[in-house]
Amino acid sequence: MHAAVLVRNDPAGLEGRMAALHAPDAGRPAGFEADLIAVGRDRDRAAFRRLFDHFAPRLKSFLRRGRTNETLLDDIVQDVFANIWRRAASYDPAKAGASTWIYTIARNRRIDIARRARPEVDIDDPALVPEEADDAPLPDHQANQGEMGRLLTAALTGLPAEQSDVVAMAYYEDMSHSEIAERLDMPLGTVKSRLRLALSKLRQTMDGLD
Amino acid sequence: MAHHHPDEGFLLDYATGVMAEPLAVVIACHLTLCPCCRTTVAQMEHVGGALLERVEGEPLEPDCFEAVMARIAQEPTLCPAACRDAATSGDLPRPLMACLSGCSIGRTWQRPFGIEMQGLPCKVPGHHLRLLRIQPGRAVPRHSHDGIELAIVLKGAFSDASGTYGRGDIACADGSVDHRQAAEPGEPCVCLVATTGRLTFTGPFGPLLNLTLRL
């Protein structure tokens, strides 16, 4: 799993990745990763519209499940997409698929709305301890992002209800693990172990790709 | 390379963005120093992406896309590189440097019982974020917690009954832990400590410390 690896500035590699994204069976047919790159590099409105048509309705539904003020839903979706447009140039297909990257933009908007601050890791930090060189991404790693999405979706479907419930509360409903314990009236340890079991299954799916 | 890692529950709270800032600063410092936990957080974000992909969408107002484009046209483009503070030492992780900006470190160290301590700005009620510098051979007096104590070692090392902690290591304690952290020989131990709730000193001088320090 190389999701947090430092990015190389490698235009030739980027072309290879783009080709891989459009190749049959390499990622979603619609190529949302390629669309994000096109928005960042060429300010491509048609690509942006494709991303909007696919993700905006999902985002609205995603935000509704959280503690988002009903009347603000469309407004927040617009904010998130304005941020996607602004930040698309920093999107790196080697690190995340389009849905993961858009999830993090939406999460950050939620954090802003809750007036929390989010201390971020800076990959240019001189203090950063890099991954071992052996773990450097293969040139065609991006092609795995779409595959990873499919496998993860299958693994999520396969989780027992008691585990998928806590995962849904953590992600959709924006709850900390201690808040989930309160809501379910369960010991914190039980919630933690359910989350741990669920995440370990999901992470095995991702580790299997590398 | 860090040897003591935060519980996955903390990493998930960080990944989903629900963690209070002082605890999140400690986690972000650990992630800077620990590629293994960075990978875990990235995987947790992938789960978020898969969950977003999986929800059934619902219709937006008809002119929603046009409203986004209008919003983009109005606002100036931000240049993230220009906003970044370039000058940092390679020693302290940037998530901590961000907290320190605007506070005059080095001038306002308190020195209760030989432990140098610096309170950092913290807007979250009931939470505290402090930098501690413990000289070799010195120790934080024995104490317990009524909340969580999440500490990361940035320099040197300390040990308590649960083990020895060096640069990048996370030590987490809650109400069930009563401990005394002693700096290892060598250089002074610098750690960043986020706490929720109060500390209660439990050693022989506990009652006196509780009255005078109120941590």
Side-chain angles (χ1 to χ4, degrees):
Chain A
M1 191 36 240
H2 316 299
V5 153
L6 295 171
V7 190
R8 286 94 184 262
N9 189 2
D10 177 11
L14 184 65
E15 293 307 317
R17 287 173 216 163
M18 302 267 299
L21 287 170
H22 287 295
D25 301 317
R28 289 180 209 81
F32 293 123
E33 286 75 18
D35 282 339
L36 265 181
I37 293 168
V39 171
R41 193 181 49 191
D42 309 323
R43 312 269 80 181
D44 181 334
R45 287 185 177 225
F48 190 56
R49 179 80 212 217
R50 282 194 293 276
L51 290 165
F52 184 88
D53 288 343
H54 182 79
F55 286 106
R58 285 175 169 78
L59 262 180
K60 183 171 180 178
S61 173
F62 191 90
L63 292 166
R64 185 189 293 286
R65 298 189 189 199
R67 289 167 282 189
T68 308
N69 185 335
E70 168 76 31
T71 55
L72 294 176
L73 284 174
D74 278 58
D75 194 54
I76 296 167
V77 170
Q78 289 170 24
D79 269 351
V80 171
F81 269 85
N83 284 340
I84 289 169
W85 177 270
R86 279 186 221 117
R87 296 183 194 163
S90 70
Y91 170 68
D92 175 9
K95 287 167 71 179
S99 57
T100 297
W101 191 77
I102 289 174
Y103 163 76
T104 62
I105 300 279
R107 173 201 65 196
N108 292 350
R109 186 71 195 109
R110 261 189 184 175
I111 294 172
D112 289 345
I113 292 166
R115 295 177 188 282
R116 285 191 297 263
R118 179 182 173 80
E120 294 275 3
V121 176
D122 180 348
I123 58 162
D124 298 322
D125 190 338
L128 188 100
V129 176
E131 287 192 42
E132 298 289 325
D134 291 353
D135 291 342
L138 301 169
D140 63 348
H141 177 66
Q142 301 61 42
N144 281 348
Q145 296 292 350
E147 175 68 6
M148 182 192 288
R150 274 195 297 277
L151 289 174
L152 260 182
T153 302
L156 280 164
T157 311
L159 289 179
E162 60 171 34
Q163 288 174 26
S164 63
D165 285 352
V166 290
V167 169
M169 287 167 102
Y171 283 91
Y172 290 134
E173 298 190 42
D174 212 11
M175 295 171 86
S176 70
H177 58 278
S178 48
E179 287 170 321
I180 296 171
E182 267 173 47
R183 163 86 73 89
L184 296 177
D185 197 18
M186 250 176 216
L188 187 57
T190 311
V191 170
K192 279 188 181 178
S193 70
R194 285 184 186 180
L195 281 170
R196 193 175 299 126
L197 280 170
L199 289 168
S200 101
K201 273 180 217 160
L202 298 171
R203 289 173 56 200
Q204 276 167 17
T205 307
M206 293 182 257
D207 286 336
L209 282 174
D210 295 332
Chain B
M1 183 68 81
H3 298 288
H4 297 276
H5 305 278
D7 184 281
E8 273 197 350
F10 284 120
L11 294 181
L12 183 64
D13 285 355
Y14 179 84
T16 59
V18 296
M19 188 170 245
E21 187 185 3
L23 297 169
V25 172
V26 173
I27 294 296
C29 286
H30 176 72
L31 294 175
T32 301
L33 302 176
C34 179
C36 158
C37 287
R38 278 206 302 280
T39 298
T40 303
V41 167
Q43 288 178 327
M44 289 170 169
E45 291 175 345
H46 287 309
V47 173
L51 285 166
L52 173 62
E53 193 63 66
R54 206 167 167 239
V55 295
E56 197 169 321
E58 58 180 285
L60 295 142
E61 287 160 23
D63 56 350
C64 201
F65 183 76
E66 287 67 31
V68 173
M69 296 317 289
R71 216 173 266 214
I72 289 165
Q74 279 168 7
E75 293 171 28
T77 313
L78 294 173
C79 174
C83 306
R84 186 174 288 153
D85 178 11
T88 62
S89 89
D91 239 7
L92 297 179
R94 278 190 179 159
L96 170 60
M97 299 301 288
C99 295
L100 294 178
S101 62
C103 99
S104 56
I105 188 125
R107 292 184 172 209
T108 51
W109 289 89
Q110 291 176 281
R111 290 186 174 75
F113 305 90
I115 309 299
E116 297 167 282
M117 191 173 68
Q118 163 100 42
L120 301 180
C122 172
K123 295 184 205 112
V124 187
H127 288 60
H128 296 278
L129 188 61
R130 300 184 177 101
L131 263 179
L132 257 59
R133 186 162 57 198
I134 316 168
Q135 295 300 325
R138 292 271 190 177
V140 178
R142 179 167 289 282
H143 62 278
S144 182
H145 325 80
D146 66 7
I148 292 168
E149 176 185 274
L150 197 61
I152 180 168
V153 176
L154 299 172
K155 270 188 188 174
F158 76 74
S159 56
D160 66 10
S162 66
T164 301
Y165 298 83
R167 179 166 166 86
D169 282 337
I170 289 277
C172 180
D174 61 15
S176 66
V177 176
D178 187 322
H179 63 169
R180 172 183 180 275
Q181 298 123 314
E184 292 285 288
E187 61 177 329
C189 176
V190 177
C191 31
L192 178 69
V193 187
T195 49
T196 66
R198 298 276 308 270
L199 297 194
T200 308
F201 292 97
T202 50
F205 297 106
L208 177 65
L209 294 177
N210 289 329
L211 268 178
T212 51
L213 283 178
R214 304 188 69 80
L215 292 181

